[in-house]
Amino acid sequence: MKHSLLPHPILTPVLALIWLLLVNSLAPGQIFLGLLLGWAIPIFTLRFWPERVYIAKPLTLLRFLAIVLYDILIANIAVAGLILAGTKQTRPAFVRVPLALRSDLGISLLANTVSLTPGTVSAWLSPDRSHLIVHGLQVHDPAALVSEIKTRYEAPIKEVFEPC
Amino acid sequence: MITNLGCGLNMIDFMLAILILIGAAFTFVGSLGLARLEDFYSRLHGPTKATTLGVGALLIASVLYFSTRGEGLSLHEILVTLFLFITAPVSAHLLSKAALHLRVHSVARPPAEAEDPIADQRGSSAAHPPEQAS
Amino acid sequence: MLSLAVSIAFALVAAAVVLSLWRLLKGPDKPDRILALDTLYINTIALLVLLGIHLGSSLYFEAALLIAMMGFVGTVALCKYILRGDIIE
């Protein structure tokens, strides 16, 4: 019974927070309405969310977010430099990243992270989800890029969302 | 007291100006990359990263500006920032998938399997591809 | 100082819009044009946010949010059209 009343415990506060940001107020009525929406929307959209999300290690998640934010800043300065330097400086390449992640959420998180960080865009996911094709703007050593993506981004995501 | 307050406001003004300039510069660089890089996959990098960060910086400047005018906190611009940071990689991924599907010109050789229409789940030749559970 | 920064920012973002428009017209492929459209709407959000700071009004936030959502949906729809030849299956 509990399972059907609160199918996604994480989604509820997130939706409530988004509601509060949307109305831009912290009035008690709005908090109540936000929590109500956060409770009702997951129940009505249950069919879109077949997997239940667990966060195994919140501290690892926070550290991962900090790393990603830092990388976004650094990556942007690097990419801006490459763009200003012109096309002769770039050395684009496609690399194959074999995936250890299995869940939908994990793979989409990794793809999004890869797209936002150092000179890489996730370009294609193989139909059997065994590997991700990544386009790099300046690739000197493809193997090093693959191992960096795997250790820096994939390992924490796996630790947090797929602890088994 | 008054001078102190004025100094604080100046400080905020200064930070706002820096944030706005950084944001606008990144937005410009993103579009510059779109205009001048060589092939489609390289061009994808400019808008997905630089423009997103640029607009993010502008929105944070907006949060700072409206929050320091004495009308209480104004955080709703954060929603747009979050939304952009979530959607930009998704649209980049879809765009590159579409580009691989159409086999657009690329400096780096794309992997053969990604360009193979049969490997691309539903196939391209069929007008009405059969529905499959993904 | 703030108004000067906003003016410079307006000029930079306007230049960004012009560059995106150029790519939109030049192509050469369909994904290029979609990418240019995508960039164009993000640039528009930047312009709206700057206008909000310039005029001191937070009314433009809703428009920016709507453009962000509609632009994303538009990009996804166009990509799906290229990938599948159909938008609604």
Side-chain angles (χ1 to χ4, degrees), chain A residues 18 21-22 24 72-73 75-77 79-80 83-87 90 92-94 96 112 115-125 127 131-133 135-137, chain B residues 26 29 32-33 36-38 41-42 44-46 48-50 53 73-76 79 85-86 89-90 93 96-97 100 106-111 113-114 119-121:
Chain A
I18 288 177
L21 282 173
L22 198 59
N24 208 11
I72 288 174
L73 276 179
N76 271 292
I77 293 165
V79 168
I83 289 172
L84 290 175
T87 53
T90 62
F94 285 93
R96 264 175 81 117
N112 276 19
S115 288
L116 280 174
T117 46
T120 48
V121 168
S122 67
W124 194 71
L125 177 69
H131 57 263
L132 190 70
I133 303 286
H135 182 265
L137 189 55
Chain B
F26 270 116
V29 165
L32 190 68
R36 88 185 272 205
L37 287 180
E38 225 171 329
Y41 300 101
S42 307
L44 202 52
H45 288 269
T48 42
K49 296 195 197 61
L53 187 80
L73 224 54
S74 165
L75 290 175
H76 56 191
L79 261 188
F85 267 86
I86 293 170
V90 176
H93 184 88
S96 78
K97 243 182 114 166
L100 282 168
S106 164
V107 172
R109 218 174 61 78
E113 51 191 334
D120 197 20
Q121 284 178 318

Coordinates of all heavy atoms in Angstrom, one line a residue, chain A residues 18 21-22 24 72-73 75-77 79-80 83-87 90 92-94 96 112 115-125 127 131-133 135-137, chain B residues 26 29 32-33 36-38 41-42 44-46 48-50 53 73-76 79 85-86 89-90 93 96-97 100 106-111 113-114 119-121:
Chain A
I18 N 10.5 22.8 -7.3 CA 10.3 23.4 -8.6 C 9.1 24.3 -8.6 O 9.0 25.4 -9.1 CB 10.2 22.4 -9.7 CG1 11.6 21.7 -10.0 CG2 9.7 22.9 -11.0 CD1 11.6 20.6 -11.0
L21 N 9.9 27.5 -6.8 CA 10.7 28.4 -7.7 C 9.8 29.0 -8.7 O 10.0 30.2 -9.1 CB 11.8 27.6 -8.3 CG 13.0 27.3 -7.5 CD1 14.0 26.4 -8.2 CD2 13.7 28.6 -7.1
L22 N 8.9 28.3 -9.3 CA 8.0 28.8 -10.3 C 7.1 29.9 -9.9 O 7.0 30.9 -10.6 CB 7.2 27.6 -10.9 CG 6.5 27.8 -12.2 CD1 7.6 28.0 -13.3 CD2 5.8 26.5 -12.6
N24 N 7.8 31.6 -7.2 CA 8.7 32.6 -6.6 C 8.2 33.1 -5.3 O 8.2 34.3 -5.0 CB 8.9 33.8 -7.6 CG 10.3 34.4 -7.3 OD1 11.1 33.8 -6.7 ND2 10.5 35.5 -7.9
I72 N 32.7 21.8 -15.9 CA 32.0 22.6 -16.9 C 32.7 23.9 -17.1 O 32.9 24.4 -18.2 CB 30.5 22.8 -16.4 CG1 29.8 21.4 -16.6 CG2 29.8 23.8 -17.2 CD1 28.4 21.5 -16.0
L73 N 33.1 24.5 -16.0 CA 33.8 25.8 -16.1 C 35.1 25.7 -16.9 O 35.3 26.5 -17.8 CB 34.1 26.4 -14.7 CG 32.9 27.1 -14.0 CD1 33.3 27.5 -12.6 CD2 32.5 28.3 -14.8
A75 N 36.0 23.3 -18.9 CA 35.8 22.9 -20.3 C 35.4 24.1 -21.1 O 35.8 24.2 -22.3 CB 34.7 21.8 -20.3
N76 N 34.5 25.0 -20.5 CA 34.1 26.1 -21.3 C 35.2 27.0 -21.7 O 35.3 27.5 -22.8 CB 33.0 26.8 -20.6 CG 31.6 26.2 -20.9 OD1 31.2 26.4 -22.0 ND2 31.1 25.6 -19.9
I77 N 36.1 27.2 -20.7 CA 37.2 28.1 -21.1 C 38.1 27.5 -22.2 O 38.5 28.1 -23.1 CB 38.0 28.4 -19.8 CG1 37.1 29.3 -18.9 CG2 39.3 29.2 -20.1 CD1 37.6 29.3 -17.5
V79 N 37.1 25.2 -24.5 CA 36.4 25.2 -25.7 C 36.4 26.6 -26.3 O 36.6 26.8 -27.6 CB 35.0 24.6 -25.6 CG1 34.2 24.9 -26.8 CG2 35.1 23.1 -25.3
A80 N 36.2 27.6 -25.5 CA 36.2 29.0 -26.0 C 37.6 29.3 -26.6 O 37.6 29.9 -27.7 CB 35.9 30.0 -24.8
I83 N 37.8 27.7 -30.0 CA 37.0 28.3 -31.0 C 37.7 29.6 -31.5 O 37.7 29.9 -32.7 CB 35.6 28.6 -30.4 CG1 34.8 27.3 -30.3 CG2 34.8 29.6 -31.4 CD1 33.5 27.5 -29.6
L84 N 38.2 30.4 -30.5 CA 38.9 31.6 -30.9 C 40.2 31.3 -31.7 O 40.5 32.1 -32.5 CB 39.2 32.4 -29.6 CG 37.9 33.0 -28.9 CD1 38.3 33.7 -27.6 CD2 37.2 34.0 -29.9
A85 N 40.8 30.2 -31.3 CA 42.1 29.9 -32.1 C 41.8 29.5 -33.5 O 42.7 29.6 -34.3 CB 42.9 28.8 -31.3
G86 N 40.6 29.0 -33.8 CA 40.3 28.7 -35.2 C 40.4 27.2 -35.4 O 40.7 26.4 -34.6
T87 N 40.0 26.8 -36.7 CA 39.8 25.4 -37.0 C 41.1 24.6 -37.1 O 41.1 23.4 -37.0 CB 39.1 25.3 -38.3 OG1 39.8 26.1 -39.3 CG2 37.7 25.8 -38.2
T90 N 41.9 22.4 -33.9 CA 41.1 21.3 -33.4 C 41.6 20.0 -34.1 O 42.0 20.0 -35.2 CB 39.6 21.5 -33.7 OG1 39.5 21.6 -35.1 CG2 39.2 22.8 -33.1
P92 N 39.4 16.8 -34.2 CA 38.2 16.0 -33.8 C 38.3 14.5 -34.0 O 39.0 14.1 -34.9 CB 37.1 16.6 -34.7 CG 37.8 17.2 -35.8 CD 39.1 17.6 -35.4
A93 N 37.7 13.8 -33.2 CA 37.7 12.3 -33.3 C 36.5 11.7 -32.6 O 35.9 12.3 -31.7 CB 39.0 11.7 -32.7
F94 N 36.1 10.5 -33.1 CA 35.1 9.7 -32.4 C 35.8 8.7 -31.6 O 36.7 8.0 -32.0 CB 34.2 9.1 -33.4 CG 33.2 10.0 -34.1 CD1 33.5 10.6 -35.3 CD2 32.0 10.3 -33.5 CE1 32.6 11.4 -35.9 CE2 31.1 11.1 -34.1 CZ 31.4 11.7 -35.3
R96 N 35.0 5.3 -28.8 CA 34.0 4.4 -28.2 C 34.2 4.2 -26.8 O 35.3 3.9 -26.3 CB 34.2 3.0 -28.8 CG 33.4 2.6 -30.0 CD 34.0 1.3 -30.5 NE 33.4 0.2 -29.7 CZ 32.6 -0.7 -30.2 NH1 32.3 -0.7 -31.5 NH2 32.1 -1.6 -29.5
N112 N 24.6 13.0 -20.5 CA 24.4 14.4 -20.3 C 25.7 15.0 -19.7 O 26.1 16.1 -20.1 CB 23.3 14.6 -19.3 CG 22.0 14.7 -20.0 OD1 21.8 14.2 -21.1 ND2 21.0 15.3 -19.4
S115 N 28.3 15.3 -22.4 CA 28.0 16.4 -23.3 C 28.4 17.8 -22.7 O 28.7 18.7 -23.4 CB 26.5 16.4 -23.7 OG 26.3 15.4 -24.6
L116 N 28.3 17.9 -21.4 CA 28.5 19.2 -20.8 C 30.0 19.4 -20.4 O 30.3 20.6 -20.1 CB 27.7 19.3 -19.5 CG 26.2 19.7 -19.7 CD1 25.5 19.6 -18.3 CD2 26.1 21.1 -20.3
T117 N 30.8 18.4 -20.5 CA 32.2 18.6 -20.0 C 33.2 18.4 -21.1 O 32.9 18.1 -22.2 CB 32.4 17.6 -18.8 OG1 31.9 16.3 -19.2 CG2 31.8 18.0 -17.6
P118 N 34.5 18.6 -20.7 CA 35.6 18.8 -21.6 C 35.5 18.4 -23.1 O 35.8 17.3 -23.4 CB 36.8 18.1 -21.0 CG 36.5 18.1 -19.6 CD 35.0 18.2 -19.4
G119 N 35.2 19.3 -24.0 CA 35.3 19.1 -25.4 C 34.7 17.8 -25.9 O 35.1 17.3 -26.9
T120 N 33.7 17.2 -25.2 CA 33.1 16.0 -25.7 C 31.6 16.1 -25.8 O 31.0 16.8 -25.0 CB 33.4 14.8 -24.8 OG1 33.1 15.2 -23.4 CG2 34.9 14.4 -24.9
V121 N 31.0 15.5 -26.8 CA 29.6 15.4 -27.0 C 29.2 14.0 -27.2 O 29.8 13.3 -28.0 CB 29.1 16.3 -28.1 CG1 27.6 16.0 -28.4 CG2 29.2 17.7 -27.9
S122 N 28.2 13.5 -26.4 CA 27.8 12.1 -26.7 C 27.0 12.1 -27.9 O 26.1 12.8 -28.1 CB 27.0 11.6 -25.5 OG 25.8 12.3 -25.4
A123 N 27.4 11.2 -28.9 CA 26.9 11.3 -30.2 C 25.9 10.1 -30.5 O 24.9 10.3 -31.3 CB 28.0 11.3 -31.3
W124 N 26.1 9.0 -30.0 CA 25.3 7.8 -30.4 C 25.4 6.8 -29.3 O 26.5 6.5 -28.8 CB 25.8 7.3 -31.7 CG 24.9 6.3 -32.4 CD1 23.7 6.6 -33.0 CD2 25.1 5.0 -32.5 NE1 23.2 5.5 -33.5 CE2 24.0 4.5 -33.3 CE3 26.1 4.1 -32.2 CZ2 23.9 3.1 -33.6 CZ3 26.0 2.7 -32.5 CH2 24.9 2.3 -33.2
L125 N 24.3 6.1 -29.0 CA 24.3 5.0 -28.1 C 23.9 3.8 -28.8 O 22.9 3.8 -29.6 CB 23.2 5.3 -27.0 CG 23.0 4.2 -25.9 CD1 24.2 4.1 -25.0 CD2 21.8 4.5 -25.1
P127 N 22.3 0.3 -29.9 CA 21.0 -0.2 -29.5 C 21.0 -1.2 -28.4 O 20.1 -1.2 -27.6 CB 20.6 -0.9 -30.8 CG 21.4 -0.3 -31.9 CD 22.7 0.1 -31.3
H131 N 27.8 0.3 -25.6 CA 28.8 1.4 -25.6 C 28.2 2.7 -26.1 O 27.1 2.7 -26.8 CB 30.0 1.0 -26.4 CG 29.6 0.6 -27.8 ND1 29.5 -0.7 -28.2 CD2 29.4 1.3 -28.9 CE1 29.1 -0.8 -29.5 NE2 29.1 0.4 -30.0
L132 N 28.9 3.8 -25.8 CA 28.5 5.1 -26.2 C 29.5 5.7 -27.1 O 30.7 5.5 -26.9 CB 28.4 6.0 -24.9 CG 27.8 7.3 -25.0 CD1 26.3 7.2 -25.2 CD2 28.1 8.1 -23.7
I133 N 29.1 6.2 -28.3 CA 30.0 6.9 -29.2 C 30.1 8.4 -28.8 O 29.1 9.0 -28.6 CB 29.6 6.8 -30.6 CG1 29.3 5.3 -31.0 CG2 30.6 7.5 -31.5 CD1 30.6 4.6 -31.3
H135 N 32.0 12.2 -29.4 CA 32.8 13.0 -30.3 C 33.6 14.0 -29.5 O 33.0 14.7 -28.6 CB 31.9 13.8 -31.3 CG 32.6 14.6 -32.2 ND1 32.9 15.9 -32.0 CD2 33.2 14.3 -33.4 CE1 33.6 16.4 -33.1 NE2 33.8 15.4 -33.9
G136 N 34.9 14.0 -29.7 CA 35.7 14.9 -29.0 C 36.2 16.0 -29.9 O 36.5 15.7 -31.1
L137 N 36.3 17.2 -29.4 CA 36.8 18.3 -30.2 C 38.3 18.3 -30.4 O 38.8 18.7 -31.5 CB 36.3 19.7 -29.6 CG 36.5 20.9 -30.5 CD1 35.8 20.7 -31.8 CD2 35.9 22.1 -29.8
Chain B
F26 N 30.5 34.5 -23.4 CA 30.4 33.1 -23.7 C 29.3 32.8 -24.8 O 29.5 32.0 -25.6 CB 30.1 32.3 -22.4 CG 31.4 31.8 -21.8 CD1 31.7 32.3 -20.5 CD2 32.2 30.9 -22.4 CE1 32.9 31.8 -19.9 CE2 33.4 30.5 -21.8 CZ 33.7 30.9 -20.5
V29 N 30.8 33.6 -28.0 CA 31.8 32.6 -28.4 C 31.1 31.4 -28.9 O 31.5 30.8 -29.9 CB 32.8 32.3 -27.3 CG1 33.6 31.0 -27.6 CG2 33.7 33.4 -27.1
L32 N 30.0 32.1 -32.3 CA 31.1 32.2 -33.2 C 31.6 30.8 -33.6 O 31.9 30.5 -34.7 CB 32.3 32.9 -32.4 CG 33.5 33.3 -33.3 CD1 33.1 34.4 -34.3 CD2 34.6 33.8 -32.4
G33 N 31.6 29.9 -32.6 CA 32.0 28.5 -32.9 C 31.0 27.9 -33.9 O 31.4 27.2 -34.8
R36 N 32.0 29.4 -37.3 CA 33.3 29.3 -38.0 C 34.0 27.9 -38.0 O 34.9 27.6 -38.8 CB 34.3 30.3 -37.5 CG 35.1 29.9 -36.3 CD 35.9 31.1 -35.8 NE 37.2 31.2 -36.4 CZ 38.2 31.8 -35.9 NH1 38.1 32.4 -34.7 NH2 39.4 31.9 -36.5
L37 N 33.5 27.0 -37.2 CA 34.2 25.7 -37.1 C 33.8 24.9 -38.4 O 32.9 25.2 -39.1 CB 33.8 24.9 -35.9 CG 34.5 25.4 -34.6 CD1 34.0 24.6 -33.4 CD2 36.0 25.4 -34.7
E38 N 34.6 23.8 -38.6 CA 34.6 23.2 -39.9 C 33.5 22.2 -40.3 O 32.8 22.4 -41.3 CB 36.0 22.4 -40.1 CG 36.7 22.7 -41.4 CD 38.0 22.1 -41.3 OE1 38.6 22.0 -40.2 OE2 38.5 21.6 -42.3
Y41 N 30.0 18.2 -36.5 CA 30.2 17.7 -35.1 C 31.0 18.6 -34.3 O 30.8 18.7 -33.0 CB 30.8 16.3 -35.2 CG 30.0 15.3 -35.9 CD1 30.2 15.0 -37.2 CD2 28.8 14.8 -35.3 CE1 29.4 14.1 -37.9 CE2 28.0 13.9 -36.0 CZ 28.3 13.6 -37.3 OH 27.5 12.7 -38.0
S42 N 31.9 19.3 -34.9 CA 32.7 20.4 -34.2 C 31.8 21.5 -33.8 O 31.9 22.1 -32.7 CB 33.9 20.9 -35.0 OG 34.7 19.8 -35.4
L44 N 28.8 21.5 -33.1 CA 27.9 21.1 -32.0 C 28.5 21.5 -30.7 O 27.7 21.8 -29.7 CB 27.7 19.6 -32.1 CG 26.5 18.9 -31.4 CD1 25.3 19.5 -32.0 CD2 26.5 17.4 -31.8
H45 N 29.8 21.6 -30.5 CA 30.4 21.9 -29.2 C 30.1 23.3 -28.8 O 29.9 23.5 -27.6 CB 31.9 21.6 -29.3 CG 32.3 20.2 -29.4 ND1 32.5 19.4 -28.3 CD2 32.4 19.4 -30.5 CE1 32.8 18.2 -28.7 NE2 32.8 18.1 -30.0
G46 N 30.2 24.2 -29.7 CA 30.0 25.6 -29.3 C 28.7 25.9 -28.6 O 28.6 26.2 -27.4
T48 N 26.4 23.8 -27.4 CA 26.0 23.0 -26.2 C 26.7 23.5 -25.0 O 26.1 23.4 -23.9 CB 26.2 21.5 -26.4 OG1 27.5 21.4 -27.1 CG2 25.2 20.9 -27.3
K49 N 28.0 23.9 -25.1 CA 28.7 24.2 -23.9 C 28.7 25.7 -23.6 O 28.2 26.2 -22.6 CB 30.1 23.7 -24.0 CG 30.1 22.2 -24.0 CD 31.5 21.7 -23.7 CE 31.6 20.3 -24.2 NZ 31.4 20.2 -25.6
A50 N 29.3 26.5 -24.6 CA 29.6 27.9 -24.3 C 28.3 28.6 -24.1 O 28.1 29.4 -23.2 CB 30.4 28.5 -25.4
L53 N 26.5 27.9 -20.8 CA 27.1 28.5 -19.7 C 26.9 30.0 -19.7 O 26.7 30.6 -18.7 CB 28.6 28.2 -19.6 CG 29.3 28.7 -18.4 CD1 29.1 27.7 -17.2 CD2 30.8 28.9 -18.6
L73 N 13.9 37.8 -2.1 CA 14.7 36.9 -2.9 C 13.9 36.6 -4.2 O 12.7 36.4 -4.2 CB 14.9 35.6 -2.2 CG 16.3 35.0 -2.3 CD1 17.4 36.0 -1.9 CD2 16.4 33.8 -1.3
S74 N 14.6 36.6 -5.3 CA 14.0 36.2 -6.6 C 14.8 35.1 -7.2 O 15.8 35.3 -7.8 CB 13.9 37.4 -7.5 OG 13.6 37.0 -8.8
L75 N 14.3 33.9 -7.1 CA 15.2 32.7 -7.5 C 14.6 32.0 -8.7 O 15.2 31.1 -9.2 CB 15.3 31.7 -6.4 CG 16.1 32.1 -5.2 CD1 16.0 31.1 -4.1 CD2 17.6 32.4 -5.6
H76 N 13.5 32.5 -9.3 CA 12.9 31.7 -10.3 C 13.7 31.6 -11.6 O 13.5 30.7 -12.4 CB 11.5 32.1 -10.6 CG 11.3 33.5 -11.0 ND1 10.0 34.1 -11.0 CD2 12.1 34.5 -11.3 CE1 10.2 35.4 -11.4 NE2 11.4 35.6 -11.6
L79 N 15.3 28.3 -12.4 CA 14.6 27.3 -13.2 C 15.0 27.2 -14.6 O 15.2 26.1 -15.2 CB 13.1 27.6 -13.1 CG 12.2 26.9 -12.1 CD1 10.8 27.2 -12.3 CD2 12.4 25.4 -12.2
F85 N 20.4 23.5 -18.7 CA 21.5 22.6 -18.4 C 21.0 21.1 -18.6 O 21.8 20.3 -18.9 CB 22.0 22.8 -17.0 CG 23.2 23.7 -17.0 CD1 23.0 25.1 -16.9 CD2 24.5 23.3 -17.1 CE1 24.1 26.0 -16.9 CE2 25.6 24.1 -17.2 CZ 25.4 25.5 -17.1
I86 N 19.7 20.9 -18.4 CA 19.2 19.5 -18.6 C 19.0 19.3 -20.1 O 19.3 18.2 -20.6 CB 18.0 19.3 -17.8 CG1 18.4 19.3 -16.3 CG2 17.4 17.9 -18.1 CD1 17.2 19.3 -15.4
P89 N 22.2 19.1 -23.4 CA 22.9 17.8 -23.8 C 21.9 16.9 -24.6 O 22.3 16.2 -25.5 CB 23.3 17.2 -22.5 CG 23.3 18.2 -21.5 CD 22.2 19.2 -22.0
V90 N 20.6 16.9 -24.2 CA 19.7 16.0 -24.8 C 19.5 16.4 -26.3 O 19.6 15.6 -27.2 CB 18.3 16.1 -24.1 CG1 17.3 15.2 -24.8 CG2 18.5 15.6 -22.7
H93 N 22.6 15.5 -28.2 CA 22.7 14.0 -28.6 C 21.7 13.7 -29.7 O 22.1 13.0 -30.7 CB 22.3 13.3 -27.3 CG 22.4 11.8 -27.5 ND1 23.6 11.1 -27.2 CD2 21.5 10.8 -27.9 CE1 23.4 9.8 -27.5 NE2 22.1 9.6 -27.9
S96 N 23.2 15.0 -33.0 CA 24.3 14.2 -33.6 C 23.7 12.9 -34.1 O 24.2 12.3 -35.1 CB 25.4 14.0 -32.5 OG 25.0 13.1 -31.6
K97 N 22.7 12.3 -33.4 CA 22.1 11.1 -33.9 C 21.5 11.4 -35.3 O 21.7 10.6 -36.3 CB 21.0 10.7 -33.0 CG 21.3 9.3 -32.3 CD 20.1 8.9 -31.5 CE 19.4 7.7 -32.0 NZ 18.5 7.1 -31.1
L100 N 24.3 11.6 -37.8 CA 24.9 10.3 -38.2 C 24.0 9.6 -39.1 O 24.4 8.9 -40.1 CB 25.1 9.5 -36.9 CG 26.3 9.8 -36.1 CD1 26.3 9.1 -34.7 CD2 27.6 9.4 -36.8
S106 N 32.0 15.0 -42.2 CA 32.7 15.1 -40.9 C 34.2 15.0 -41.1 O 34.7 14.2 -42.0 CB 32.2 13.9 -40.0 OG 33.1 13.7 -38.9
V107 N 35.0 15.7 -40.3 CA 36.4 15.7 -40.5 C 37.0 14.3 -39.9 O 37.7 13.6 -40.6 CB 37.1 16.9 -39.7 CG1 38.6 16.7 -39.7 CG2 36.7 18.2 -40.4
A108 N 36.5 14.0 -38.7 CA 36.8 12.7 -38.1 C 35.9 11.7 -38.7 O 34.7 11.9 -39.0 CB 36.7 12.7 -36.6
R109 N 36.5 10.5 -39.0 CA 35.6 9.4 -39.6 C 34.7 8.8 -38.5 O 35.2 8.3 -37.5 CB 36.5 8.3 -40.1 CG 36.0 7.7 -41.5 CD 37.0 6.8 -42.0 NE 37.2 5.7 -41.1 CZ 36.3 4.6 -41.0 NH1 35.2 4.6 -41.7 NH2 36.6 3.7 -40.1
P110 N 33.4 8.9 -38.7 CA 32.5 8.4 -37.7 C 32.6 6.8 -37.7 O 32.8 6.2 -38.8 CB 31.1 8.8 -38.2 CG 31.3 9.7 -39.4 CD 32.7 9.5 -39.9
P111 N 32.3 6.2 -36.6 CA 32.3 4.7 -36.6 C 31.3 4.1 -37.5 O 30.2 4.7 -37.6 CB 32.1 4.4 -35.1 CG 31.5 5.6 -34.5 CD 32.0 6.8 -35.3
E113 N 29.5 1.5 -37.5 CA 28.3 0.9 -36.9 C 27.2 2.0 -36.7 O 26.0 1.7 -36.8 CB 28.6 0.2 -35.6 CG 29.4 1.1 -34.7 CD 30.0 0.4 -33.5 OE1 29.5 -0.6 -33.1 OE2 31.0 0.9 -33.0
A114 N 27.7 3.2 -36.3 CA 26.7 4.3 -36.0 C 26.0 4.8 -37.2 O 24.9 5.3 -37.2 CB 27.4 5.4 -35.3
A119 N 21.6 -0.8 -37.9 CA 22.0 -0.8 -36.5 C 21.2 0.3 -35.7 O 21.0 0.3 -34.5 CB 23.5 -0.5 -36.3
D120 N 20.7 1.3 -36.5 CA 20.1 2.4 -35.9 C 18.6 2.1 -35.5 O 17.7 2.7 -35.9 CB 20.1 3.6 -36.8 CG 19.8 4.9 -36.0 OD1 19.9 4.9 -34.8 OD2 19.5 5.9 -36.6
Q121 N 18.5 1.0 -34.8 CA 17.2 0.6 -34.2 C 16.1 0.3 -35.2 O 15.7 -0.8 -35.4 CB 16.8 1.5 -33.1 CG 17.6 1.3 -31.9 CD 17.2 2.3 -30.8 OE1 17.0 3.4 -31.0 NE2 17.1 1.8 -29.6

